[in-house]
Amino acid sequence: MPELPDVEVFRRYINEHALKQKISDVTVNNTGILKNTSVSNMKKALKGKVFSRTSRRGKYCFLETNGEDTVVLHFGMTGNIKYHENGTPLDDHERVRFHFENGNILSFVNVRLLGEVRLIKDKDSFVTSKQIGSDALQLSYNQFRQLLQRRSSMVKSMLMNQNLLSGIGNVYADEILYQSRIHPKKNVKDLTESQVKKLYTMMKKVTETAIKKNVDAGKFPHSYITHRREEGEKCPSCGGTLEKIKVSGRPTYFCPKCQEE
Ligand SMILES: [Zn+2]
C-alpha cells in the first residue's frame, strides 16, 4: 500500500516528467475513481492548463495547475503513476489519463479501485475538511512531542493515525518501531523521553532512506526488516526469529528480543 515514501517518489516522478506541459484532454476509464467531480468537470477545469507544481501531505499528492484547480491523488491500497510516450495502449488499470499536447500521457494506475482522484480549489480547506494530520516528514520534534502528550494508545496505532500524523502506514510503522527498538503494542504514555526522541529520529530516517532508495525494499540497508516480512525470517540484529502479531487488525512484524514489551 502506498505510504508517504511511495507517494513522495511518485510526486518527484511527476515533477521530473509531467510539469509545464499543456493538457489537451482527460480520459477516465472508470468513473468510480472520481470523488466529488465528473469527467466533464475534469475536462473543463484542466484542458489548456498545465500542472505547475506538486506538493504532498501524508499520502495525498497535489498537482496544482496554472488555473484555479488542483488535482488530488490518493492511491488507496495499490496505485502507481506512469508517464507514457505517445502511442502506448491503455492498460485496464489506468483509471485516469491526463493527455498532453506534446502527445505524452500521465496515467493514474489503480488496480483495486480504492484510490481517489479529486478536483479541489483550495488545499488548506481540503486538508482541514479531511482532518489530515501533520506530515510525518515535515513535523518538528517539538510538534511530535506535543502530539504524543496525554495520549493513551498503542504506539503503532498512534503512528498510523492519519488524523494525527499523516503518511505512515503499516509497513513503515513496523520498520520505524523496529529501528527504534520499541514494541509495537507499547502504550504511548509509557514511552520515556529518550524513546520518544528515538522514535522521532527513526521516523525521519526510515522515510528518508526509503525515498532515497526509490522505495525498493531490496535496496534498503541490511539492518532493515521491511524486506523480511515473512514467517520465519530472522532479525538482522540478534539473529532471533521475527514474530508476526496483529495490532489494530493489521499484520505486524517485530523482534521480541530487540523490542521488549
Ligand atoms: Zn532481534
Side-chain angles (χ1 to χ4, degrees):
M1 169 169 170
E3 302 183 27
L4 188 159
D6 308 79
V7 180
E8 180 61 18
V9 168
F10 297 151
R11 189 187 74 79
R12 293 181 186 188
Y13 175 86
I14 294 168
N15 278 359
E16 198 182 315
H17 294 96
L19 291 189
K20 312 267 165 34
Q21 299 166 35
K22 202 177 259 189
I23 301 165
S24 57
D25 201 6
V26 183
T27 50
V28 179
N29 92 340
N30 191 315
T31 51
I33 210 90
L34 300 182
K35 291 285 169 304
N36 297 334
T37 190
S38 63
V39 183
S40 63
N41 273 345
M42 295 278 286
K43 287 180 193 275
K44 209 182 296 167
L46 300 176
K47 271 177 161 182
K49 303 291 190 302
V50 302
F51 292 125
S52 46
R53 64 185 289 268
T54 63
S55 57
R56 185 190 52 72
R57 184 164 172 128
K59 302 176 189 174
Y60 287 89
C61 184
F62 299 91
L63 279 67
E64 293 171 32
T65 68
N66 57 344
E68 286 178 356
D69 300 86
T70 293
V71 172
V72 188
L73 306 178
H74 190 274
F75 297 87
M77 291 300 286
T78 55
N80 202 349
I81 278 287
K82 264 188 211 167
Y83 184 78
H84 300 284
E85 301 292 322
N86 195 9
T88 318
L90 182 78
D91 172 316
D92 281 351
H93 299 133
E94 288 177 36
R95 306 304 181 182
V96 180
R97 281 186 145 196
F98 302 98
H99 303 255
F100 299 110
E101 246 174 28
N102 61 12
N104 297 338
I105 291 164
L106 181 71
S107 279
F108 177 76
V109 185
N110 206 250
V111 177
R112 289 173 61 187
L113 283 170
L114 294 166
E116 294 176 5
V117 177
R118 291 167 189 271
L119 213 51
I120 60 164
K121 297 281 183 202
D122 182 60
K123 194 171 115 183
D124 291 340
S125 46
F126 175 75
V127 166
T128 308
S129 72
K130 297 288 281 182
Q131 295 179 289
I132 309 169
S134 305
D135 186 80
L137 204 53
Q138 278 152 26
L139 196 72
S140 72
Y141 178 59
N142 275 337
Q143 289 169 317
F144 184 69
R145 272 180 61 195
Q146 275 169 19
L147 284 185
L148 268 57
Q149 268 165 20
R150 291 182 299 279
R151 294 206 75 82
S152 177
S153 68
M154 288 186 278
V155 61
K156 182 174 177 185
S157 312
M158 182 280 296
L159 284 177
M160 289 176 62
N161 180 344
Q162 301 299 305
N163 301 131
L164 199 65
L165 180 70
S166 66
I168 308 295
N170 194 45
V171 172
Y172 288 105
D174 284 359
E175 189 66 74
I176 291 162
L177 289 165
Y178 173 75
Q179 295 300 328
S180 309
R181 303 294 188 254
I182 296 171
H183 193 285
K185 284 190 171 177
K186 194 173 178 86
N187 196 301
V188 171
K189 67 176 171 21
D190 297 327
L191 293 174
T192 64
E193 175 79 29
S194 78
Q195 283 178 316
V196 172
K197 205 166 257 175
K198 185 96 184 162
L199 191 59
Y200 175 78
T201 308
M202 288 307 164
M203 179 175 81
K204 296 268 166 167
K205 199 171 172 194
V206 167
T207 43
E208 280 165 5
T209 301
I211 293 166
K212 216 179 283 170
K213 300 290 177 189
N214 237 354
V215 293
D216 179 352
K219 291 185 182 145
F220 287 5
H222 178 75
S223 59
Y224 276 38
I225 61 164
T226 298
H227 51 294
R228 301 173 205 270
R229 298 178 67 82
E230 262 172 66
E231 220 83 51
E233 280 281 352
K234 302 285 182 224
C235 165
S237 172
C238 74
T241 306
L242 297 177
E243 237 174 63
K244 185 185 180 185
I245 55 170
K246 282 213 163 165
V247 177
S248 310
R250 306 298 302 277
T252 300
Y253 288 85
F254 76 108
C255 174
K257 268 190 210 157
C258 298
Q259 297 164 266
E260 279 179 22
E261 195 155 6

